[in-house]
Amino acid sequence: MLHRYETDGAEIYRQSFATIRREAALERFTPVEERVVVRMIHAAGLVELAPHVAFSPGMAEAAAQALQKGAPVLCDVRMVSEGITRSRLPAANPIICTLQDERVPALARDMGNTRSAAALELWRPHLAGAVVAIGNAPTALFHLLNMLQDPACPRPAAIIGCPVGFVGAMESKQALMQDLPVPCMAVHGRLGGSAITVAAINALASHVE
């Protein structure tokens, strides 16, 4: 017997977002935050994600405004940088991931740190006013927070901190939301990952669902 299923892509999206808004606890979010959380839930297939998402006041609005002004998006891994939908970016924003730069292995050895953390040293020329998207490596988020303790370090416009995992992920996001060096958002606990980080950027980049 042939399987019958919904074949209209637009209708699949409509039903998906309607289901999320019906089932997820979204009442505490601003309209811009809600748009971000809905897309993150859609990417994860997990309405239970909503209680774990935290925004500092005005973060979603600040990140969206920075993107409108052409801010670059700095990504910790290529799974994030490649997942961003270019057509949603409002100003042909540069997307930068330095993890594969040939200088990174030597930097990591000299620093005694992971390549994910060392790659952030190459962000410095691009960091001022940027939107940071960390979706994989807790060491990258920790190193960024340490970098930003230096008053001379350029300040990004906003940080999305969603590293995933069992070692350092929860602690790095706690540190982010405690330090709040700039407007920030995080997914608390072990949850996180590239897909929901990409979803957050795509939602901030355009109000179109």
Side-chain angles (χ1 to χ4, degrees):
M1 184 178 72
L2 290 177
H3 297 283
R4 297 185 180 277
Y5 56 93
E6 180 60 67
T7 59
D8 185 324
E11 180 60 15
I12 291 170
Y13 266 91
R14 189 196 69 76
Q15 290 185 32
S16 296
F17 291 131
T19 300
I20 291 167
R21 289 196 163 91
R22 185 171 64 249
E23 296 185 5
L26 302 171
E27 298 80 9
R28 65 188 176 91
F29 299 112
T30 69
V32 180
E33 291 170 354
E34 179 185 308
R35 188 172 78 231
V36 174
V37 176
V38 166
R39 271 205 165 259
M40 292 170 74
I41 291 171
H42 183 253
L46 186 69
V47 294
E48 295 82 4
L49 183 70
H52 300 276
V53 182
F55 294 85
S56 67
M59 180 276 171
E61 293 78 6
Q65 289 171 11
L67 292 173
Q68 288 289 333
K69 294 176 182 178
V73 184
L74 305 184
C75 308
D76 64 328
V77 292
R78 286 189 64 184
M79 286 182 69
V80 175
S81 63
E82 295 302 316
I84 295 169
T85 304
R86 270 59 177 176
S87 61
R88 294 183 67 88
L89 294 171
N93 308 67
I95 300 173
I96 298 169
C97 177
T98 54
L99 186 59
Q100 277 72 45
D101 190 286
E102 62 184 11
R103 294 168 288 179
V104 168
L107 271 173
R109 287 193 298 270
D110 292 344
M111 293 168 56
N113 209 330
T114 66
R115 286 185 299 159
S116 295
L120 270 63
E121 289 295 324
L122 304 181
W123 285 7
R124 291 181 185 272
H126 314 286
L127 198 53
V131 175
V132 170
I134 296 179
N136 182 265
T139 57
L141 184 52
F142 272 128
H143 188 62
L144 177 61
L145 293 176
N146 287 342
M147 288 169 60
L148 293 174
Q149 289 185 19
D150 179 359
C153 183
R155 259 42 195 173
I159 299 171
I160 298 170
C162 297
V164 61
F166 299 92
V167 179
M170 177 172 63
E171 294 82 359
S172 67
K173 292 177 284 191
Q174 287 175 339
L176 173 67
M177 300 309 289
Q178 289 169 2
D179 286 8
L180 283 181
V182 299
C184 298
M185 70 157 290
V187 174
H188 286 305
R190 295 170 172 174
L191 295 170
S194 299
I196 63 174
T197 305
V198 166
I201 289 290
N202 285 338
L204 291 165
S206 173
H207 70 275
V208 177
E209 286 195 335

